[in-house]
Amino acid sequence: MSSLQSTRFNSKLTSQCQSCSLSALCLPISLADEDVNRLDQIIERKKPLKKGEVLFHQGEEFSSVYAVRTGTLKTFNITNSGEEQITGFYCPSELVGLSGIDSNTYPVSAKALETTSVCEIPFSHLESLSSQIPSLKHQIFKVMSRKICDDQQMMVLLGKKNADEKVASLLMNLSSRFKRRGYSATSFRLAMSRGEIGNYLGLAVETVSRVMTRFQKSGLIHVDGKEIAIVNLPEMQKLVGITEECAKIEVV
Amino acid sequence: MSSLQSTRFNSKLTSQCQSCSLSALCLPISLADEDVNRLDQIIERKKPLKKGEVLFHQGEEFSSVYAVRTGTLKTFNITNSGEEQITGFYCPSELVGLSGIDSNTYPVSAKALETTSVCEIPFSHLESLSSQIPSLKHQIFKVMSRKICDDQQMMVLLGKKNADEKVASLLMNLSSRFKRRGYSATSFRLAMSRGEIGNYLGLAVETVSRVMTRFQKSGLIHVDGKEIAIVNLPEMQKLVGITEECAKIEVV
DNA sequence: CGTATTTTTGATTGGAATCAAATTCGGTGG
DNA sequence: CCACCGAATTTGATTCCAATCAAAAATACG
């Protein structure tokens, strides 16, 4: 158990969730002001993580879920052969750590890909608060359900798609996540390296590089290091295929 | 909304969950008798599905989650090219349909691989009941968290493993699920076809067949149609690798 | 400014897909 | 109970996509 006092980075009596620009994403529910305040009081805003710092380690006791406020996280397993297997990237407003509830242990590690600040949400507090606020409980169910959906789409991607479709899917997925937060859907900066993309997609680094070069040559995207611009959006969407369909369902 | 009366297949006033042999798996919590009864009253035991019958369709409005009592289900997407993409197999005591909570729509279809009976659990009832029974709410969180964990392991499998490891992983996974329900871990019958296994694992049917033949020749397993016997358990576990590790974490 | 790391590019290899066909299995009706 | 038909499974030959090996180029960083 971490100390509320010692880790609190920015503590005020007024609700910070209410003034946070992400609240509409992080809490897409209409909580009464009073309820938001109650939620706000259990949340700790931690000191930002520097690139490469670890938020929690695989195997550690589960205590909190975390909402990313700024920056990007990756979650990963260490395989028995010692290599890293990335299982997800987390952008602002997204929750990380939910997979620890079942075993009361984080089954993955979470590491910052760049300077990243998070809100720590002690799960036991969240859970008891959710008993008192049904819409909050429903929201947690929804977030977890959404994660299950997304992971299953990822399973389809990994099992059925070729290298082009995988890379296109990741780029379009990131694009829609940027858009959701009000940023450009067609021009953004990758927080992760080519190696991390390949690791996540089940591709070799070289393949990721080749595919991106090829996409650029065919006028689908423009690549400048980590800066990506989607040039031919319709064609990219076509490449993504099935994932697209399910995105529709989810958006409803 | 389905009618409670019309679809109820086997209705008694006494608690059926209490006498169900799966309750320790389906409800691995110590609910007070009174609470079990309350849960029991919202559950409908539906008429068994015959092989090939569909429990719910992709795109249909979400209303219930289902616990498999006997038999096996598969969940799948239909891709835009019209082919089926299997996202999961469900054995007795396992819950299907949780991915529908987020969008209020089932993002997959569920179909019986053999004669299968399920308990229908209307989600709105379950949710309101969970407000009154904190341990039930916690249990739902756990089940969903576990699903997220499992799916992420599946992602690792699909992204990083070769054909041998994939097939071995599926067999060992099924083995542990049979064992959990009190059946033999080393001898069981596959409910799914080679084609469905291949579809699920991201392999061609021919590859699944070849791998199994090869496993049999090397004395790892014995295959007789759909009957499988694990002959060399340690070697099979070795093939599975990382998934093994995470199984340990989850079991704790 | 020089070194380490990341990314790109090229050549070759290999594992699984695909194509093709034989065989077995499962269900049905005579 | 057996013969028959379609589906599922197995087996074989060939192809192809992405991995691997290798090395140059670009970028990050102290």
Short mmCIF file of all heavy atoms in Angstrom, two decimals, chain C residues 2-24:
data_model
loop_
_atom_site.label_atom_id
_atom_site.label_comp_id
_atom_site.label_asym_id
_atom_site.label_seq_id
_atom_site.Cartn_x
_atom_site.Cartn_y
_atom_site.Cartn_z
P DG C 2 35.77 13.46 -34.17
OP1 DG C 2 37.24 13.49 -34.23
OP2 DG C 2 34.97 13.53 -35.42
"O5'" DG C 2 35.36 12.16 -33.36
"C5'" DG C 2 35.78 12.03 -31.99
"C4'" DG C 2 34.87 11.04 -31.29
"O4'" DG C 2 33.53 11.57 -31.23
"C3'" DG C 2 34.77 9.68 -31.98
"O3'" DG C 2 34.78 8.69 -30.98
"C2'" DG C 2 33.42 9.74 -32.70
"C1'" DG C 2 32.62 10.59 -31.72
N9 DG C 2 31.47 11.31 -32.28
C8 DG C 2 31.40 12.00 -33.47
N7 DG C 2 30.24 12.56 -33.67
C5 DG C 2 29.50 12.21 -32.55
C6 DG C 2 28.15 12.52 -32.20
O6 DG C 2 27.35 13.20 -32.83
N1 DG C 2 27.81 11.97 -30.97
C2 DG C 2 28.62 11.22 -30.18
N2 DG C 2 28.12 10.77 -29.03
N3 DG C 2 29.88 10.91 -30.48
C4 DG C 2 30.24 11.45 -31.68
P DT C 3 35.14 7.16 -31.27
OP1 DT C 3 36.39 6.80 -30.57
OP2 DT C 3 35.03 6.97 -32.74
"O5'" DT C 3 33.94 6.41 -30.55
"C5'" DT C 3 33.58 6.78 -29.20
"C4'" DT C 3 32.16 6.35 -28.95
"O4'" DT C 3 31.24 7.26 -29.61
"C3'" DT C 3 31.82 4.95 -29.46
"O3'" DT C 3 31.26 4.21 -28.40
"C2'" DT C 3 30.82 5.19 -30.58
"C1'" DT C 3 30.18 6.51 -30.17
N1 DT C 3 29.58 7.33 -31.25
C2 DT C 3 28.32 7.83 -31.07
O2 DT C 3 27.66 7.65 -30.08
N3 DT C 3 27.85 8.59 -32.13
C4 DT C 3 28.50 8.88 -33.31
O4 DT C 3 27.97 9.57 -34.18
C5 DT C 3 29.83 8.30 -33.44
C7 DT C 3 30.62 8.54 -34.69
C6 DT C 3 30.30 7.56 -32.42
P DA C 4 30.88 2.68 -28.55
OP1 DA C 4 31.43 1.94 -27.39
OP2 DA C 4 31.20 2.25 -29.93
"O5'" DA C 4 29.30 2.75 -28.38
"C5'" DA C 4 28.74 3.52 -27.31
"C4'" DA C 4 27.23 3.57 -27.49
"O4'" DA C 4 26.90 4.46 -28.58
"C3'" DA C 4 26.60 2.22 -27.83
"O3'" DA C 4 25.40 2.11 -27.09
"C2'" DA C 4 26.36 2.30 -29.34
"C1'" DA C 4 26.10 3.78 -29.53
N9 DA C 4 26.46 4.31 -30.85
C8 DA C 4 27.61 4.10 -31.55
N7 DA C 4 27.66 4.72 -32.70
C5 DA C 4 26.44 5.39 -32.77
C6 DA C 4 25.87 6.23 -33.74
N6 DA C 4 26.48 6.57 -34.87
N1 DA C 4 24.65 6.72 -33.48
C2 DA C 4 24.04 6.40 -32.34
N3 DA C 4 24.47 5.62 -31.35
C4 DA C 4 25.69 5.14 -31.63
P DT C 5 24.48 0.79 -27.11
OP1 DT C 5 24.04 0.52 -25.72
OP2 DT C 5 25.22 -0.23 -27.90
"O5'" DT C 5 23.21 1.25 -27.94
"C5'" DT C 5 22.53 2.46 -27.58
"C4'" DT C 5 21.59 2.85 -28.69
"O4'" DT C 5 22.32 3.30 -29.85
"C3'" DT C 5 20.69 1.71 -29.18
"O3'" DT C 5 19.35 2.15 -29.04
"C2'" DT C 5 21.09 1.50 -30.64
"C1'" DT C 5 21.65 2.87 -31.00
N1 DT C 5 22.65 2.90 -32.13
C2 DT C 5 22.40 3.71 -33.20
O2 DT C 5 21.42 4.41 -33.29
N3 DT C 5 23.37 3.69 -34.18
C4 DT C 5 24.53 2.94 -34.18
O4 DT C 5 25.31 3.02 -35.11
C5 DT C 5 24.73 2.09 -33.02
C7 DT C 5 25.96 1.25 -32.93
C6 DT C 5 23.79 2.11 -32.06
P DT C 6 18.08 1.21 -29.34
OP1 DT C 6 17.06 1.43 -28.30
OP2 DT C 6 18.58 -0.15 -29.66
"O5'" DT C 6 17.54 1.85 -30.71
"C5'" DT C 6 17.40 3.27 -30.83
"C4'" DT C 6 17.17 3.61 -32.29
"O4'" DT C 6 18.39 3.45 -33.04
"C3'" DT C 6 16.13 2.73 -32.97
"O3'" DT C 6 15.17 3.61 -33.54
"C2'" DT C 6 16.91 1.94 -34.00
"C1'" DT C 6 18.10 2.86 -34.28
N1 DT C 6 19.36 2.22 -34.76
C2 DT C 6 19.94 2.68 -35.93
O2 DT C 6 19.45 3.58 -36.60
N3 DT C 6 21.11 2.06 -36.28
C4 DT C 6 21.76 1.05 -35.60
O4 DT C 6 22.81 0.58 -36.01
C5 DT C 6 21.10 0.61 -34.39
C7 DT C 6 21.71 -0.49 -33.57
C6 DT C 6 19.94 1.21 -34.03
P DT C 7 13.87 3.10 -34.31
OP1 DT C 7 12.82 4.13 -34.16
OP2 DT C 7 13.62 1.69 -33.94
"O5'" DT C 7 14.36 3.13 -35.82
"C5'" DT C 7 14.78 4.36 -36.39
"C4'" DT C 7 15.31 4.11 -37.78
"O4'" DT C 7 16.54 3.36 -37.69
"C3'" DT C 7 14.38 3.27 -38.67
"O3'" DT C 7 14.00 4.09 -39.75
"C2'" DT C 7 15.23 2.06 -39.09
"C1'" DT C 7 16.65 2.56 -38.84
N1 DT C 7 17.68 1.52 -38.55
C2 DT C 7 18.78 1.43 -39.36
O2 DT C 7 18.97 2.15 -40.33
N3 DT C 7 19.68 0.45 -39.00
C4 DT C 7 19.57 -0.43 -37.93
O4 DT C 7 20.45 -1.26 -37.71
C5 DT C 7 18.39 -0.28 -37.13
C7 DT C 7 18.18 -1.19 -35.95
C6 DT C 7 17.50 0.67 -37.47
P DT C 8 13.00 3.57 -40.88
OP1 DT C 8 12.25 4.71 -41.40
OP2 DT C 8 12.31 2.35 -40.39
"O5'" DT C 8 14.05 3.12 -41.99
"C5'" DT C 8 14.97 4.08 -42.51
"C4'" DT C 8 15.97 3.39 -43.40
"O4'" DT C 8 16.73 2.44 -42.64
"C3'" DT C 8 15.37 2.61 -44.57
"O3'" DT C 8 15.86 3.19 -45.77
"C2'" DT C 8 15.87 1.17 -44.38
"C1'" DT C 8 17.08 1.36 -43.48
N1 DT C 8 17.42 0.22 -42.57
C2 DT C 8 18.64 -0.38 -42.69
O2 DT C 8 19.47 -0.06 -43.53
N3 DT C 8 18.88 -1.39 -41.80
C4 DT C 8 18.02 -1.85 -40.80
O4 DT C 8 18.35 -2.75 -40.05
C5 DT C 8 16.75 -1.17 -40.72
C7 DT C 8 15.75 -1.58 -39.69
C6 DT C 8 16.50 -0.17 -41.60
P DT C 9 15.19 2.86 -47.16
OP1 DT C 9 15.37 4.05 -48.02
OP2 DT C 9 13.85 2.30 -46.93
"O5'" DT C 9 16.12 1.71 -47.72
"C5'" DT C 9 17.52 1.96 -47.87
"C4'" DT C 9 18.24 0.66 -48.14
"O4'" DT C 9 18.35 -0.11 -46.94
"C3'" DT C 9 17.58 -0.25 -49.18
"O3'" DT C 9 18.46 -0.36 -50.30
"C2'" DT C 9 17.41 -1.58 -48.46
"C1'" DT C 9 18.42 -1.47 -47.32
N1 DT C 9 18.13 -2.26 -46.10
C2 DT C 9 19.12 -3.05 -45.58
O2 DT C 9 20.23 -3.12 -46.07
N3 DT C 9 18.78 -3.72 -44.45
C4 DT C 9 17.55 -3.71 -43.81
O4 DT C 9 17.36 -4.37 -42.80
C5 DT C 9 16.54 -2.87 -44.42
C7 DT C 9 15.19 -2.78 -43.81
C6 DT C 9 16.88 -2.19 -45.52
P DG C 10 18.07 -1.19 -51.60
OP1 DG C 10 18.73 -0.53 -52.76
OP2 DG C 10 16.62 -1.44 -51.61
"O5'" DG C 10 18.83 -2.57 -51.32
"C5'" DG C 10 20.24 -2.58 -51.11
"C4'" DG C 10 20.73 -4.00 -50.90
"O4'" DG C 10 20.43 -4.42 -49.54
"C3'" DG C 10 20.08 -5.04 -51.81
"O3'" DG C 10 21.12 -5.84 -52.39
"C2'" DG C 10 19.20 -5.86 -50.89
"C1'" DG C 10 19.97 -5.75 -49.57
N9 DG C 10 19.18 -5.98 -48.37
C8 DG C 10 18.00 -5.36 -48.01
N7 DG C 10 17.53 -5.77 -46.86
C5 DG C 10 18.46 -6.73 -46.44
C6 DG C 10 18.49 -7.52 -45.27
O6 DG C 10 17.68 -7.54 -44.34
N1 DG C 10 19.61 -8.36 -45.25
C2 DG C 10 20.56 -8.42 -46.22
N2 DG C 10 21.54 -9.29 -46.03
N3 DG C 10 20.54 -7.68 -47.31
C4 DG C 10 19.47 -6.86 -47.37
P DA C 11 20.82 -7.01 -53.39
OP1 DA C 11 21.88 -7.00 -54.43
OP2 DA C 11 19.39 -6.98 -53.76
"O5'" DA C 11 21.06 -8.29 -52.46
"C5'" DA C 11 22.33 -8.49 -51.81
"C4'" DA C 11 22.36 -9.89 -51.20
"O4'" DA C 11 21.53 -9.90 -50.01
"C3'" DA C 11 21.83 -10.99 -52.10
"O3'" DA C 11 22.66 -12.14 -51.93
"C2'" DA C 11 20.41 -11.22 -51.60
"C1'" DA C 11 20.55 -10.92 -50.11
N9 DA C 11 19.33 -10.40 -49.48
C8 DA C 11 18.43 -9.50 -50.00
N7 DA C 11 17.44 -9.22 -49.18
C5 DA C 11 17.71 -9.98 -48.05
C6 DA C 11 17.05 -10.12 -46.83
N6 DA C 11 15.92 -9.47 -46.51
N1 DA C 11 17.59 -10.96 -45.92
C2 DA C 11 18.72 -11.61 -46.23
N3 DA C 11 19.44 -11.54 -47.35
C4 DA C 11 18.87 -10.70 -48.23
P DT C 12 22.31 -13.54 -52.62
OP1 DT C 12 23.60 -14.21 -52.94
OP2 DT C 12 21.28 -13.31 -53.69
"O5'" DT C 12 21.64 -14.36 -51.45
"C5'" DT C 12 22.35 -14.52 -50.21
"C4'" DT C 12 21.48 -15.31 -49.25
"O4'" DT C 12 20.35 -14.50 -48.84
"C3'" DT C 12 20.89 -16.60 -49.83
"O3'" DT C 12 21.34 -17.67 -48.99
"C2'" DT C 12 19.38 -16.38 -49.79
"C1'" DT C 12 19.23 -15.33 -48.69
N1 DT C 12 18.03 -14.47 -48.76
C2 DT C 12 17.22 -14.37 -47.64
O2 DT C 12 17.45 -14.98 -46.61
N3 DT C 12 16.14 -13.54 -47.78
C4 DT C 12 15.79 -12.81 -48.91
O4 DT C 12 14.81 -12.10 -48.90
C5 DT C 12 16.67 -12.96 -50.05
C7 DT C 12 16.37 -12.23 -51.30
C6 DT C 12 17.73 -13.78 -49.92
P DT C 13 20.85 -19.14 -49.20
OP1 DT C 13 21.96 -20.05 -48.86
OP2 DT C 13 20.14 -19.24 -50.50
"O5'" DT C 13 19.78 -19.24 -48.03
"C5'" DT C 13 20.12 -18.74 -46.72
"C4'" DT C 13 18.95 -19.02 -45.79
"O4'" DT C 13 17.89 -18.08 -46.03
"C3'" DT C 13 18.35 -20.41 -45.91
"O3'" DT C 13 18.29 -20.97 -44.62
"C2'" DT C 13 16.98 -20.17 -46.57
"C1'" DT C 13 16.66 -18.75 -46.15
N1 DT C 13 15.83 -17.94 -47.09
C2 DT C 13 14.76 -17.25 -46.59
O2 DT C 13 14.42 -17.28 -45.43
N3 DT C 13 14.08 -16.48 -47.52
C4 DT C 13 14.37 -16.35 -48.87
O4 DT C 13 13.70 -15.64 -49.59
C5 DT C 13 15.51 -17.12 -49.32
C7 DT C 13 15.89 -17.05 -50.77
C6 DT C 13 16.18 -17.87 -48.43
P DG C 14 17.74 -22.43 -44.36
OP1 DG C 14 18.54 -23.03 -43.28
OP2 DG C 14 17.60 -23.09 -45.69
"O5'" DG C 14 16.28 -22.14 -43.80
"C5'" DG C 14 16.07 -21.11 -42.84
"C4'" DG C 14 14.59 -21.06 -42.53
"O4'" DG C 14 13.91 -20.30 -43.56
"C3'" DG C 14 13.91 -22.43 -42.50
"O3'" DG C 14 12.93 -22.39 -41.50
"C2'" DG C 14 13.30 -22.54 -43.90
"C1'" DG C 14 12.90 -21.09 -44.16
N9 DG C 14 12.85 -20.69 -45.57
C8 DG C 14 13.63 -21.13 -46.61
N7 DG C 14 13.33 -20.55 -47.75
C5 DG C 14 12.31 -19.68 -47.43
C6 DG C 14 11.58 -18.78 -48.25
O6 DG C 14 11.71 -18.58 -49.46
N1 DG C 14 10.62 -18.08 -47.54
C2 DG C 14 10.38 -18.24 -46.18
N2 DG C 14 9.42 -17.48 -45.67
N3 DG C 14 11.06 -19.06 -45.41
C4 DG C 14 12.00 -19.75 -46.10
P DG C 15 12.39 -23.70 -40.83
OP1 DG C 15 13.16 -23.97 -39.60
OP2 DG C 15 12.25 -24.72 -41.89
"O5'" DG C 15 10.93 -23.22 -40.39
"C5'" DG C 15 10.73 -21.86 -39.98
"C4'" DG C 15 9.31 -21.49 -40.30
"O4'" DG C 15 9.19 -21.20 -41.72
"C3'" DG C 15 8.29 -22.59 -40.02
"O3'" DG C 15 7.14 -21.95 -39.50
"C2'" DG C 15 8.04 -23.22 -41.38
"C1'" DG C 15 8.26 -22.06 -42.33
N9 DG C 15 8.83 -22.40 -43.64
C8 DG C 15 9.74 -23.38 -43.93
N7 DG C 15 10.08 -23.39 -45.20
C5 DG C 15 9.37 -22.35 -45.77
C6 DG C 15 9.33 -21.88 -47.10
O6 DG C 15 9.96 -22.30 -48.10
N1 DG C 15 8.47 -20.81 -47.25
C2 DG C 15 7.73 -20.25 -46.24
N2 DG C 15 6.96 -19.21 -46.56
N3 DG C 15 7.76 -20.67 -44.98
C4 DG C 15 8.59 -21.73 -44.83
P DA C 16 6.01 -22.76 -38.77
OP1 DA C 16 5.79 -22.11 -37.47
OP2 DA C 16 6.32 -24.20 -38.87
"O5'" DA C 16 4.75 -22.47 -39.68
"C5'" DA C 16 4.42 -21.11 -39.98
"C4'" DA C 16 3.70 -21.03 -41.29
"O4'" DA C 16 4.56 -21.43 -42.38
"C3'" DA C 16 2.45 -21.91 -41.41
"O3'" DA C 16 1.40 -21.08 -41.85
"C2'" DA C 16 2.83 -22.97 -42.44
"C1'" DA C 16 3.80 -22.16 -43.31
N9 DA C 16 4.70 -22.95 -44.12
C8 DA C 16 5.43 -24.06 -43.75
N7 DA C 16 6.17 -24.55 -44.71
C5 DA C 16 5.91 -23.72 -45.80
C6 DA C 16 6.38 -23.72 -47.13
N6 DA C 16 7.25 -24.61 -47.61
N1 DA C 16 5.92 -22.75 -47.96
C2 DA C 16 5.05 -21.86 -47.47
N3 DA C 16 4.53 -21.76 -46.25
C4 DA C 16 5.01 -22.73 -45.45
P DA C 17 -0.07 -21.50 -42.13
OP1 DA C 17 -0.93 -20.63 -41.31
OP2 DA C 17 -0.20 -22.97 -42.05
"O5'" DA C 17 -0.24 -21.04 -43.64
"C5'" DA C 17 0.12 -19.72 -44.01
"C4'" DA C 17 -0.09 -19.52 -45.50
"O4'" DA C 17 0.92 -20.26 -46.22
"C3'" DA C 17 -1.44 -20.03 -46.01
"O3'" DA C 17 -1.96 -19.09 -46.96
"C2'" DA C 17 -1.12 -21.38 -46.64
"C1'" DA C 17 0.34 -21.23 -47.06
N9 DA C 17 1.12 -22.46 -46.88
C8 DA C 17 1.24 -23.20 -45.74
N7 DA C 17 2.02 -24.25 -45.87
C5 DA C 17 2.44 -24.19 -47.19
C6 DA C 17 3.28 -25.03 -47.95
N6 DA C 17 3.88 -26.12 -47.46
N1 DA C 17 3.48 -24.69 -49.23
C2 DA C 17 2.88 -23.59 -49.72
N3 DA C 17 2.08 -22.73 -49.10
C4 DA C 17 1.90 -23.09 -47.83
P DT C 18 -3.38 -19.30 -47.60
OP1 DT C 18 -3.88 -17.95 -47.92
OP2 DT C 18 -4.16 -20.22 -46.75
"O5'" DT C 18 -3.06 -20.05 -48.96
"C5'" DT C 18 -2.08 -19.53 -49.85
"C4'" DT C 18 -1.81 -20.52 -50.95
"O4'" DT C 18 -1.03 -21.63 -50.42
"C3'" DT C 18 -3.07 -21.14 -51.57
"O3'" DT C 18 -3.02 -20.89 -52.96
"C2'" DT C 18 -2.95 -22.63 -51.25
"C1'" DT C 18 -1.45 -22.80 -51.06
N1 DT C 18 -0.99 -23.92 -50.19
C2 DT C 18 -0.07 -24.81 -50.69
O2 DT C 18 0.36 -24.74 -51.82
N3 DT C 18 0.31 -25.79 -49.81
C4 DT C 18 -0.11 -25.96 -48.51
O4 DT C 18 0.31 -26.87 -47.83
C5 DT C 18 -1.08 -25.01 -48.05
C7 DT C 18 -1.62 -25.11 -46.65
C6 DT C 18 -1.48 -24.04 -48.89
P DC C 19 -4.32 -21.19 -53.87
OP1 DC C 19 -4.38 -20.10 -54.88
OP2 DC C 19 -5.48 -21.48 -53.00
"O5'" DC C 19 -3.90 -22.54 -54.60
"C5'" DC C 19 -2.63 -22.61 -55.27
"C4'" DC C 19 -2.35 -24.04 -55.67
"O4'" DC C 19 -1.92 -24.79 -54.51
"C3'" DC C 19 -3.55 -24.79 -56.26
"O3'" DC C 19 -3.13 -25.45 -57.45
"C2'" DC C 19 -3.93 -25.77 -55.16
"C1'" DC C 19 -2.55 -26.04 -54.53
N1 DC C 19 -2.57 -26.54 -53.15
C2 DC C 19 -1.72 -27.58 -52.78
O2 DC C 19 -0.97 -28.07 -53.64
N3 DC C 19 -1.74 -28.04 -51.50
C4 DC C 19 -2.56 -27.48 -50.61
N4 DC C 19 -2.53 -27.96 -49.38
C5 DC C 19 -3.44 -26.41 -50.96
C6 DC C 19 -3.43 -25.97 -52.23
P DA C 20 -4.21 -26.24 -58.34
OP1 DA C 20 -3.71 -26.14 -59.74
OP2 DA C 20 -5.58 -25.79 -57.99
"O5'" DA C 20 -4.03 -27.74 -57.84
"C5'" DA C 20 -2.75 -28.36 -57.87
"C4'" DA C 20 -2.85 -29.78 -57.39
"O4'" DA C 20 -2.79 -29.81 -55.93
"C3'" DA C 20 -4.16 -30.50 -57.78
"O3'" DA C 20 -3.83 -31.75 -58.36
"C2'" DA C 20 -4.89 -30.65 -56.46
"C1'" DA C 20 -3.72 -30.76 -55.48
N9 DA C 20 -4.04 -30.44 -54.09
C8 DA C 20 -4.81 -29.41 -53.61
N7 DA C 20 -4.91 -29.38 -52.30
C5 DA C 20 -4.15 -30.47 -51.89
C6 DA C 20 -3.85 -30.99 -50.61
N6 DA C 20 -4.29 -30.45 -49.48
N1 DA C 20 -3.06 -32.10 -50.56
C2 DA C 20 -2.61 -32.62 -51.71
N3 DA C 20 -2.83 -32.22 -52.96
C4 DA C 20 -3.60 -31.13 -52.98
P DA C 21 -4.98 -32.70 -58.99
OP1 DA C 21 -4.46 -33.17 -60.29
OP2 DA C 21 -6.31 -32.03 -58.89
"O5'" DA C 21 -4.98 -33.93 -57.99
"C5'" DA C 21 -3.72 -34.47 -57.55
"C4'" DA C 21 -3.97 -35.41 -56.39
"O4'" DA C 21 -4.20 -34.64 -55.19
"C3'" DA C 21 -5.19 -36.31 -56.57
"O3'" DA C 21 -4.84 -37.62 -56.18
"C2'" DA C 21 -6.20 -35.72 -55.59
"C1'" DA C 21 -5.26 -35.24 -54.48
N9 DA C 21 -5.84 -34.26 -53.57
C8 DA C 21 -6.62 -33.18 -53.86
N7 DA C 21 -7.00 -32.49 -52.81
C5 DA C 21 -6.43 -33.18 -51.75
C6 DA C 21 -6.45 -32.97 -50.36
N6 DA C 21 -7.10 -31.96 -49.79
N1 DA C 21 -5.77 -33.84 -49.59
C2 DA C 21 -5.12 -34.86 -50.17
N3 DA C 21 -5.03 -35.16 -51.46
C4 DA C 21 -5.71 -34.27 -52.21
P DA C 22 -5.76 -38.88 -56.56
OP1 DA C 22 -5.17 -39.51 -57.77
OP2 DA C 22 -7.19 -38.46 -56.56
"O5'" DA C 22 -5.50 -39.81 -55.31
"C5'" DA C 22 -4.20 -39.83 -54.71
"C4'" DA C 22 -4.35 -40.15 -53.24
"O4'" DA C 22 -4.88 -38.99 -52.54
"C3'" DA C 22 -5.30 -41.31 -52.95
"O3'" DA C 22 -4.71 -42.15 -51.97
"C2'" DA C 22 -6.56 -40.62 -52.42
"C1'" DA C 22 -5.96 -39.40 -51.73
N9 DA C 22 -6.87 -38.25 -51.61
C8 DA C 22 -7.55 -37.60 -52.61
N7 DA C 22 -8.27 -36.58 -52.19
C5 DA C 22 -8.05 -36.56 -50.82
C6 DA C 22 -8.53 -35.72 -49.80
N6 DA C 22 -9.36 -34.70 -50.02
N1 DA C 22 -8.11 -35.97 -48.53
C2 DA C 22 -7.28 -37.00 -48.33
N3 DA C 22 -6.76 -37.86 -49.21
C4 DA C 22 -7.19 -37.58 -50.45
P DT C 23 -5.38 -43.54 -51.57
OP1 DT C 23 -4.28 -44.49 -51.36
OP2 DT C 23 -6.49 -43.82 -52.52
"O5'" DT C 23 -6.01 -43.20 -50.16
"C5'" DT C 23 -5.20 -42.59 -49.14
"C4'" DT C 23 -6.08 -42.26 -47.97
"O4'" DT C 23 -6.87 -41.08 -48.27
"C3'" DT C 23 -7.07 -43.36 -47.59
"O3'" DT C 23 -6.84 -43.69 -46.24
"C2'" DT C 23 -8.45 -42.72 -47.82
"C1'" DT C 23 -8.13 -41.24 -47.67
N1 DT C 23 -9.04 -40.28 -48.34
C2 DT C 23 -9.64 -39.30 -47.57
O2 DT C 23 -9.46 -39.18 -46.38
N3 DT C 23 -10.45 -38.44 -48.27
C4 DT C 23 -10.73 -38.46 -49.63
O4 DT C 23 -11.48 -37.63 -50.13
C5 DT C 23 -10.09 -39.53 -50.36
C7 DT C 23 -10.34 -39.64 -51.83
C6 DT C 23 -9.28 -40.39 -49.70
P DT C 24 -7.54 -44.91 -45.52
OP1 DT C 24 -6.53 -45.69 -44.78
OP2 DT C 24 -8.47 -45.56 -46.49
"O5'" DT C 24 -8.41 -44.12 -44.45
"C5'" DT C 24 -7.81 -43.04 -43.71
"C4'" DT C 24 -8.92 -42.24 -43.07
"O4'" DT C 24 -9.62 -41.47 -44.06
"C3'" DT C 24 -9.96 -43.10 -42.35
"O3'" DT C 24 -10.04 -42.63 -41.02
"C2'" DT C 24 -11.24 -42.88 -43.16
"C1'" DT C 24 -10.99 -41.49 -43.75
N1 DT C 24 -11.71 -41.16 -45.01
C2 DT C 24 -12.50 -40.02 -45.04
O2 DT C 24 -12.66 -39.29 -44.09
N3 DT C 24 -13.10 -39.77 -46.24
C4 DT C 24 -13.00 -40.52 -47.41
O4 DT C 24 -13.59 -40.19 -48.43
C5 DT C 24 -12.18 -41.71 -47.31
C7 DT C 24 -12.02 -42.59 -48.50
C6 DT C 24 -11.58 -41.97 -46.13
#
